[in-house]
Amino acid sequence: MTKYNSIKFITINQNNHEQRIDNFLFTQFKKVPKSRIYNLIRRGKIRINHKKVQPKNKINTNDIITLPSIQTSFKKKNL
């Protein structure tokens, strides 16, 4: 189960201009599985300038990305 603690805001600088949102998030959150990032985008938890996005959307300079704080470590269940 994913646990959300708080909302995080990221302002895009010129170095990341015209990069796809999914690729940007993969580089920023290397320990988070890609499937979890895609799931958050699909459910509308990740937004650009308060608007829902798709993975193919590109980010621009001074865009503000809103995303939940994501718990990245999980305990393994013994079967």
Side-chain angles (χ1 to χ4, degrees), residues 45-60:
K45 300 289 184 184
I46 297 175
R47 297 173 176 251
I48 298 175
N49 300 326
H50 304 288
K51 295 178 184 176
K52 289 183 180 180
V53 296
Q54 293 182 351
K56 65 180 180 180
N57 289 116
K58 294 190 178 186
I59 52 179
N60 296 309

Side-chain angles (χ1 to χ4, degrees), residues 1 31 36 70-75:
M1 179 180 216
K31 292 187 178 184
R36 185 167 304 139
I70 304 168
Q71 179 180 353
T72 57
S73 62
F74 293 94
K75 292 182 181 178

